[in-house]
Amino acid sequence: MTCAAVWRIPKELQGGNHESPDDTSSNAQSLELLCHLDSTAHGNMACVTWEPLGDGKKLLSLADNYLLIWDLQESSTKSVLSSSATLEGKGQLRFTLGKWSPHHNCTQVATANDTAIRGWDIRSMRQIYCIENAHGQLVRDLDFNPNKQYYLASCGDDCKVKFWDTRNIHEPVKTLEEHSHWVWSVRYNHSHDQLVLTGSSDSRVILSNMVSISSEPFGHLVDDEDLSDQEDNPQEEKTKEPLQDSIIGTYEEHEDSVYAVEWSSADPWLFASLSYDGRLVINRVPRALKYNILL
């Protein structure tokens, strides 16, 4: 049985204190167990995630075919199951992962089971959309665009990365086919959503510039004065053309499957990747692209 619990980080590691404690062994023992998320009636835990913009009192967990919302009460020392929903259909359906949307006042979550992606409204605990066969094989990861509320990225064992508009789920807005094996992780940049990271068991990390479906596609707003200026000076017309989607870089420092990629929460130009052999690699967005985006 796989379970879940909530723990408190030691005080000496909270509040941005980066100094290493003198006795690391005693520090490890000082982790405080706050509460267990008791899912014995629902099955094995597959995923746990915090409400992204809340006060740290609400959690989402997936256990077999149940979607569970937990409230942490009494200073986070007690968990109460506040609501649940059941995945229904033919066969033994099981959730594999879930992602809480930072939009819509945090009332929506997306889940994956096998090749399908589903959206849920946690106020009514009802399904609001379902992308059947979103990938040809198992869906491995999901991530919401932080700046465009209806846009969602997914990746899977069909070696593809797909971008969806959840208002029109019949086909993806964009599809990337740059990896040669299962794609385990996809992440939007928190500040500049045209930057997308993917990690795969082909041992590569790929940084893509998906500017055409970003919140700030360059050159999409041109007023009449700009048009008249371009007629006078044709050379400036090139600067008004939107950038094309492209692969910024392929990083091959890993020698084994890359299971996780993540952007820094402090520096929007810094990202990390982690592979099966335990190698952690830190990289930066190329300086030329950084200035291109900023300017």
Side-chain angles (χ1 to χ4, degrees):
M1 175 71 74
T2 55
C3 306
V6 180
W7 301 77
R8 176 174 282 130
I9 297 174
K11 290 183 178 180
E12 53 266 31
L13 296 181
Q14 295 181 13
N17 184 1
H18 301 295
E19 296 181 4
S20 299
D22 296 333
D23 188 351
T24 56
S25 60
S26 63
N27 181 57
Q29 295 174 0
S30 67
L31 275 172
E32 180 185 355
L33 174 62
L34 296 180
C35 61
H36 287 280
L37 303 181
D38 185 7
S39 64
T40 52
H42 303 96
N44 289 303
M45 285 284 193
C47 172
V48 179
T49 181
W50 292 100
E51 182 184 20
L53 302 177
D55 57 1
K57 298 294 185 182
K58 190 173 288 188
L59 284 166
L60 158 74
S61 71
L62 303 176
D64 285 349
N65 64 327
Y66 292 94
L67 187 155
L68 310 170
I69 303 295
W70 303 84
D71 281 330
L72 302 185
Q73 301 178 348
E74 298 176 11
S75 301
S76 301
T77 58
K78 181 181 178 181
S79 63
V80 176
L81 182 61
S82 62
S83 54
S84 65
T86 306
L87 180 60
E88 299 177 347
K90 296 180 180 179
Q92 291 185 333
L93 299 180
R94 291 184 178 180
F95 289 115
T96 51
L97 66 103
K99 199 78 174 183
W100 205 315
S101 171
H103 309 294
H104 312 288
N105 293 322
C106 297
T107 58
Q108 294 185 13
V109 298
T111 63
N113 65 286
D114 197 19
T115 63
I117 299 171
R118 304 170 191 270
W120 304 80
D121 188 325
I122 63 171
R123 294 168 297 184
S124 61
M125 298 306 287
R126 293 181 180 274
Q127 185 175 296
I128 51 179
Y129 61 82
C130 178
I131 309 175
E132 297 282 1
N133 299 314
H135 286 265
Q137 298 180 50
L138 181 69
V139 178
R140 290 281 177 186
D141 199 15
L142 302 170
D143 198 29
F144 283 95
N145 186 314
N147 300 326
K148 298 185 74 172
Q149 60 181 336
Y150 296 106
Y151 274 63
L152 174 71
S154 65
C155 61
D157 285 2
D158 57 1
C159 312
K160 297 178 182 179
V161 180
K162 296 185 178 182
F163 300 88
W164 305 91
D165 184 337
T166 57
R167 297 166 297 182
N168 181 13
I169 59 175
H170 299 294
E171 59 181 1
V173 179
K174 283 277 185 178
T175 300
L176 292 179
E177 301 182 47
E178 301 296 331
H179 286 287
S180 58
H181 208 261
W182 304 345
V183 187
W184 283 80
S185 185
V186 58
R187 288 290 182 272
Y188 279 104
N189 186 288
H190 306 304
S191 302
H192 309 286
D193 57 83
Q194 65 262 50
L195 301 178
V196 178
L197 276 176
T198 55
S200 165
S201 41
D202 62 8
S203 305
R204 297 187 301 161
V205 175
I206 294 180
L207 175 60
S208 303
N209 188 16
M210 305 303 297
V211 65
S212 69
I213 55 174
S214 72
S215 59
E216 297 180 355
F218 296 154
H220 72 298
L221 294 176
V222 181
D223 57 29
D224 294 337
E225 292 183 4
D226 291 333
L227 291 174
S228 62
D229 291 342
Q230 288 176 17
E231 292 175 359
D232 297 336
N233 191 354
Q235 293 181 348
E236 292 187 3
E237 187 173 356
K238 295 181 180 179
T239 63
K240 296 298 181 181
E241 294 179 1
L243 293 177
Q244 299 297 314
D245 295 341
S246 61
I247 301 301
I248 298 167
T250 300
Y251 302 87
E252 301 182 347
E253 294 95 342
H254 293 283
E255 298 177 359
D256 214 327
S257 299
V258 180
Y259 285 159
V261 292
E262 196 67 66
W263 291 97
S264 166
S265 58
D267 185 342
W269 312 107
L270 201 64
F271 59 92
S273 53
L274 181 65
S275 55
Y276 176 73
D277 57 5
R279 177 175 293 182
L280 174 69
V281 178
I282 309 294
N283 274 302
R284 282 190 175 277
V285 174
R287 182 174 297 180
L289 177 69
K290 171 182 175 180
Y291 291 138
N292 199 350
I293 292 174
L294 294 176
L295 300 177

